[in-house]
Every structure is written in C-alpha cells, then in structure tokens.
Amino acid sequence: FDFKNGFLPQNGVDKTFFDDGKQQSYAIYKEDKIIEGKRWNENGTLILDHSFPKYSKSFFDNGKLKTDYTGLLDYDDNGKLESIDGYQRTYAEDGSLAFSSLYKNKILIQASYRKENIYLEVQWDTTGSFATNYKLWMDGILIMENSGIMDSNFNLIFGKKSIFYTNGKKKSIAIY
C-alpha cells in the first residue's frame, strides 16, 4: 500500500462497504492507476463502471447514463482521465445527450452541444488548429452554417457562411 495516496494500493484490489455491509465499490489498481472498478449508491444502483483503457461510465442515482468515455483512454499528469482516441459524452438527467466530443491522437476534432431547443456542432481539422465546420440548429432547423477556416471564436476567415430562416429556406450566403 502507498500511504501517501490515502491508503490506496499501488497495485492490487481495494474494496469499500456501506455501514450495512453492502459493497460500495471495488477497484483494481496497477501502478497507482485504477484499471477496473465499479461503485454503487446505497440503493445498490451502479453509479460508476470503469475498465481502463477501454471505457469509463458514470450514472445518475436513478441509473441513467451521466458520462460515457469510450475508445482509447489515458490519465493526464494530474491523474484525470482523458481520451486519446474516442468519444466523451455527457447526458442530461432525462437521458438526452447534452455534450459529445470526439478525439483523435488527443486532439479534439468534433464536438456537439444540446440544450433545450438549441443544438450546436463544430468540427476541427485533424491538428485541432482551426474549426472547419460550424452548424447551429434551433427547434431542429438549421439556422446557420460556416464551412472553411475559422478562428477560435468561430468567425469565418476563409470559406462560406449560410444563414437560414426558421422555415429552413436560405436567407443569405457570404463567401470569404
């Protein structure tokens, strides 16, 4: 055991239990990192499921998916889980997808965000240097699309900007 890390094993198994004797969690450690583990709430509902480096999922107390990291995962220098190649998804308590991001070689190349009636999707080049596509929907209708090269605020530097009416028909097109 490595006492500097809060009595957790550097290599081995750690199990915790609730006062009533039911298992609360278990974790398998290798070189100070959790490589597999599960955690349950007091009602016995799974709230964390982790299998390194393949996936890590967390759940709301009602059992619905809260976060989902899939693909090739790693830990950063601070011990925080990160995606090398794969998806990171966050869900609202009602089960709807709130945020999704796709990484390739630790570079964010695609992200989407949803809140109520607004949906936003952004794609970056393979180096993560600049955005190449930006789409905004309201009530399921595309209202703006930028394609080309954009700065960090998604302002178009070179390319095409299209704006649409709420009925879906084109309002304007600008070429940069």
Side-chain angles (χ1 to χ4, degrees):
F1 285 90
D2 179 359
F3 293 100
K4 71 178 172 74
N5 287 331
F7 303 105
L8 298 176
Q10 291 176 318
N11 295 292
V13 178
D14 179 53
K15 293 182 180 181
T16 61
F17 299 86
F18 290 106
D19 290 345
D20 63 5
K22 289 193 296 187
Q23 189 170 5
Q24 180 182 20
S25 67
Y26 86 87
I28 300 171
Y29 287 82
K30 185 175 180 182
E31 299 172 4
D32 286 329
K33 295 177 182 160
I34 298 175
I35 59 167
E36 188 174 325
K38 292 185 187 282
R39 180 178 296 145
W40 297 267
N41 65 16
E42 291 180 358
N43 298 325
T45 303
L46 183 67
I47 57 173
L48 181 65
D49 184 7
H50 180 76
S51 180
F52 182 79
K54 300 174 194 168
Y55 68 85
S56 183
K57 298 178 181 189
S58 67
F59 302 86
F60 290 103
D61 282 334
N62 63 13
K64 289 189 178 183
L65 193 58
K66 183 177 185 179
T67 62
D68 180 17
Y69 288 24
T70 56
L72 181 59
L73 307 176
D74 199 1
Y75 290 97
D76 67 15
D77 292 337
N78 297 317
K80 185 176 184 259
L81 197 62
E82 65 180 355
S83 291
I84 294 174
D85 288 309
Y87 283 95
Q88 292 182 6
R89 296 182 179 105
T90 304
Y91 297 85
E93 227 170 322
D94 67 3
S96 63
L97 183 63
F99 183 78
S100 176
S101 53
L102 173 63
Y103 290 83
K104 293 283 185 192
N105 298 318
K106 289 189 178 183
I107 297 170
L108 178 64
I109 62 167
Q110 183 176 356
S112 61
Y113 170 80
R114 179 183 309 273
K115 185 165 184 175
E116 297 172 4
N117 66 332
I118 297 172
Y119 178 74
L120 172 67
E121 184 178 284
V122 181
Q123 294 176 330
W124 286 265
D125 72 310
T126 56
T127 66
S129 301
F130 54 87
T132 60
N133 201 340
Y134 171 97
K135 294 180 181 179
L136 177 65
W137 288 265
M138 289 185 79
D139 298 318
I141 298 169
L142 181 65
I143 60 166
M144 186 170 79
E145 179 178 14
N146 287 349
S147 58
I149 298 175
M150 288 164 260
D151 66 17
S152 60
N153 293 317
F154 307 115
N155 295 312
L156 203 54
I157 298 168
F158 175 80
K160 177 178 159 184
K161 175 184 245 173
S162 301
I163 297 178
F164 302 86
Y165 290 104
T166 55
N167 65 7
K169 294 187 184 226
K170 284 187 183 175
K171 181 177 184 179
S172 67
I173 296 175
I175 307 293
Y176 294 82

